[in-house]
Amino acid sequence: MDSARRAYAKTLTINHYCPENVPWRRLGQYLYRIIEDGSTTQMRLAAIESLLPPQTLGPVFHFHEMHDEGFLIKSGKVRFHSPGRPDVDAKAGDLVVIPIRLPHRFSNPFDEEAVFVNTITPGFFVRYFEHLEELIGEGKELTPEVNRAALMRFATIPLSYDQVQQLEEESRASMEEVKRGKLNNGITNGTANRIADNGSDGVATKGRVVPELDVAANGGTGVSEYGAPV
């Protein structure tokens, strides 16, 4: 370790988070507290702890332009939603990772409260929670309107109902296309298998599969009507 690194290391500290020393802060019907505000990591990483009461919807659908998120569930269960994808129900001990630009939201539709640790990399988005707290003020509920206004201040794009529906429809269309492809492959493979079972080499004329011997037996030239060798 050279002198420059030694000097830099002297400026660093270890952040030891003790829950009993950090009070919860209110975001309408939700609670949160900051575990790491980014100052220890030069904003490379921040983390918060959140509490979702039972039967709560969570934030609106959105995606982040500048940071990835991790969700480590401490207690209860949290449901993660992404348009066009199956919901993910994460229980205590599970980790869910949301990459940049993946539309998502989360909720607690269950009968017990849920607590999770949310990591943010890089950590600038931690300021969103403080800004949201200011917007809500003494309000008892985080509304979708306030949620959207706060998200847009921090490189995050909220989705409208129509945009979510479009993603759902595109996903359904893609799945139908995959199903049709599998069905067509099954038909093709089934035809090839029947040809092999009949002892035929399978040669084509006008799109019809015929045995090679039929061409020779009929005095054919060995070329189909489309110019393909048979």
Side-chain angles (χ1 to χ4, degrees):
M1 196 174 191
D2 58 31
S3 58
R5 288 183 173 86
R6 289 198 304 274
Y8 175 69
K10 291 178 181 179
T11 69
L12 304 177
T13 60
I14 295 175
N15 175 20
H16 179 199
Y17 166 69
C18 298
E20 62 270 20
N21 296 333
V22 182
W24 288 105
R25 299 161 68 171
R26 181 165 293 279
L27 292 175
Q29 64 271 49
Y30 309 105
L31 298 177
Y32 87 104
R33 51 189 173 190
I34 296 176
I35 296 175
E36 166 58 52
D37 65 2
S39 59
T40 309
T41 64
Q42 296 182 348
M43 303 309 293
R44 291 185 297 272
L45 168 73
I48 69 161
E49 186 175 13
S50 292
L51 186 153
L52 303 181
Q55 305 297 325
T56 47
L57 293 176
V60 299
F61 274 112
H62 61 278
F63 63 89
H64 306 292
E65 289 279 17
M66 293 182 62
H67 71 273
D68 301 299
E69 289 186 293
F71 297 83
L72 178 63
I73 314 304
K74 293 182 63 178
S75 64
K77 289 193 296 185
V78 179
R79 177 166 292 172
F80 292 86
H81 315 262
S82 186
R85 296 172 170 83
D87 291 342
V88 174
D89 289 343
K91 64 183 184 307
D94 290 356
L95 173 68
V96 172
V97 176
I98 305 293
I100 286 175
R101 294 183 178 171
L102 176 66
H104 66 282
R105 71 179 186 88
F106 53 85
S107 66
N108 180 7
F110 308 105
D111 294 328
E112 61 177 316
E113 69 180 26
V115 177
F116 62 84
V117 171
N118 178 200
T119 63
I120 307 162
T121 52
F124 299 101
F125 190 71
V126 71
R127 303 295 175 228
Y128 156 80
F129 299 95
E130 297 173 323
H131 178 63
L132 189 59
E133 185 178 4
E134 293 177 1
L135 289 181
I136 296 173
E138 298 300 320
K140 295 183 179 180
E141 182 179 2
L142 169 60
T143 65
E145 293 74 22
V146 171
N147 192 189
R148 292 189 182 95
L151 287 170
M152 289 189 293
R153 288 283 300 272
F154 294 89
T156 297
I157 312 301
L159 300 183
S160 67
Y161 174 81
D162 289 342
Q163 290 171 324
V164 172
Q165 291 301 111
Q166 181 182 8
L167 290 172
E168 295 278 7
E169 291 170 4
E170 289 175 353
S171 176
R172 284 194 291 269
S174 296
M175 287 190 289
E176 287 299 322
E177 187 174 343
V178 169
K179 288 179 181 178
R180 286 195 297 270
K182 289 182 178 179
L183 179 61
N184 291 337
N185 287 338
I187 293 173
T188 302
N189 292 337
T191 302
N193 290 337
R194 287 195 297 273
I195 293 169
D197 290 342
N198 292 329
S200 168
D201 292 330
V203 290
T205 173
K206 287 190 175 180
R208 183 171 60 89
V209 177
V210 298
E212 190 174 37
L213 293 177
D214 288 349
V215 178
N218 294 326
T221 60
V223 177
S224 75
E225 295 185 30
Y226 294 112
V230 299

